[in-house]
Amino acid sequence: MRKLLYALAASALLFTSWAQAQPELRSDHPERYTVVKGDTLWDISARFLNNPWYWPEIWHVNPQVANPHLIYPGDRLALVYIDGKPRITKVATSDVVKLSPQVRSEAIDTPIPAIPLDAIASFLTETRIVTPEEINGAPYVLEGEDGRIITGAGDRIYARGEKPADRVGIFRRSKEFVDPDTGEFLGLEARSIARGNINAENGDVLTVGITKSSEEVRIGDRLLVNEDRRLTTSFVPSSPDNEIEGKMISVDGGVSQIGQYNVVAINRGEREGLTAGNVLAVLKAGNMVRDPVTGETIELPSERAGLLMVFQAYEKMSYGLVLQATRPLAVGDKVTNP
């Protein structure tokens, strides 16, 4: 009898967990919505769902479409029910526009992004995670033209080392990421400073013309292959396939408190199953309090305080953008499945 009760309890727990892990419509969700310029996929998902990362499960579109998640300003979305389940789909407009024979010009529509791309642009196109060996073995800046030690766009610099490519990025060694729990080295951030073209070689001395710079180039900065990465809008909110338990280990800009649209680094990456688009819950670490009876120091339970989306995953770590924060967050706060 006891075994039967245990089995029933386990089944009930599994059913409850399954039931909770479903898309939940907001009580105030719209029946129809017209996409406007400035929207993001996350914004639209949050209009319909309490848990926006389940967007792929309720999005209904013609399977012949090459990329079904592309949504454009002006698209009209409707909440419908198919086989009793809620689905969001594009609907045709009934508006009729009469065109007269004259020249008309319109901006080419681009699909709305999943999240605000301006907040993460430099991480997707420039800044990257490398190994110490990669950056230590890369050519380094000797000096600028006319002996200058600080140079920028339009200037010429000299570097020493083996030519990596005709077009290069100029990087500065930045943060070293180490797992706060295990001490494992996770990666080295190479921060983008400028771009340039190698115009001449004289032995192992390279002459580089700087074509673009975000900061002054300094002696000792390193030259790496210009990867020419481009911003992507293809990722969509999703829940990780695996169980994730990690921490925020750094925040861009060195601020003490983390809020909405801050970029953070977390100590979990591709080897743990994270991919771009995965949404994680942020748990605010509980306070440390002294037990008045025993004198022990006790950590209070963590509380859910925000959501972030992974936008760039590396082998051992990832970058994420905080999308919601109900209270100030901090480095060391936990991240887990939403």
Side-chain angles (χ1 to χ4, degrees), residues 58 102 169 307 309:
I58 69 166
Q102 57 182 311
L307 290 169
M309 179 187 285

Side-chain angles (χ1 to χ4, degrees), residues 28-45:
D28 60 347
H29 66 78
E31 296 298 325
R32 295 203 172 201
Y33 178 72
T34 300
V35 181
V36 299
K37 187 176 181 179
D39 274 343
T40 66
L41 187 56
W42 180 265
D43 297 332
I44 296 174
S45 305

Side-chain angles (χ1 to χ4, degrees), residues 41-70:
L41 187 56
W42 180 265
D43 297 332
I44 296 174
S45 305
R47 288 179 182 272
F48 289 92
L49 297 173
N50 286 324
N51 40 11
W53 54 93
Y54 279 113
W55 175 262
E57 298 194 21
I58 69 166
W59 178 241
H60 180 74
V61 74
N62 187 333
Q64 303 301 320
V65 177
N67 191 336
H69 295 289
L70 294 185

Side-chain angles (χ1 to χ4, degrees), residues 7 26 31 44 81 103 122 130 156 161 238 251 255 317 325 338:
R26 288 175 53 131
E31 296 298 325
I44 296 174
Y81 286 83
V103 176
S122 65
V130 298
R156 185 172 64 245
S238 61
V251 57
V255 295
M317 58 169 291

Side-chain angles (χ1 to χ4, degrees), residues 75-88:
D75 283 347
R76 297 177 65 187
L77 308 180
L79 178 66
V80 298
Y81 286 83
I82 301 175
D83 297 329
K85 296 180 180 180
R87 294 289 185 264
I88 296 172

Side-chain angles (χ1 to χ4, degrees), residues 25 139 210 212 219 268 282-283 295:
L25 288 173
I210 301 175
K212 176 184 176 182
I219 292 174
R268 295 293 181 265
V282 183
L283 305 181

Side-chain angles (χ1 to χ4, degrees), residues 178-195:
V178 176
D179 191 295
D181 298 322
T182 66
E184 180 186 12
F185 179 79
L186 304 178
L188 171 65
E189 183 180 84
R191 184 160 54 89
S192 173
I193 303 300
R195 289 187 176 193

Side-chain angles (χ1 to χ4, degrees), residues 167-185:
R167 299 172 61 209
V168 294
I170 302 170
F171 292 82
R172 185 166 300 150
R173 187 187 186 104
S174 185
K175 305 171 187 173
E176 290 191 5
F177 295 110
V178 176
D179 191 295
D181 298 322
T182 66
E184 180 186 12
F185 179 79

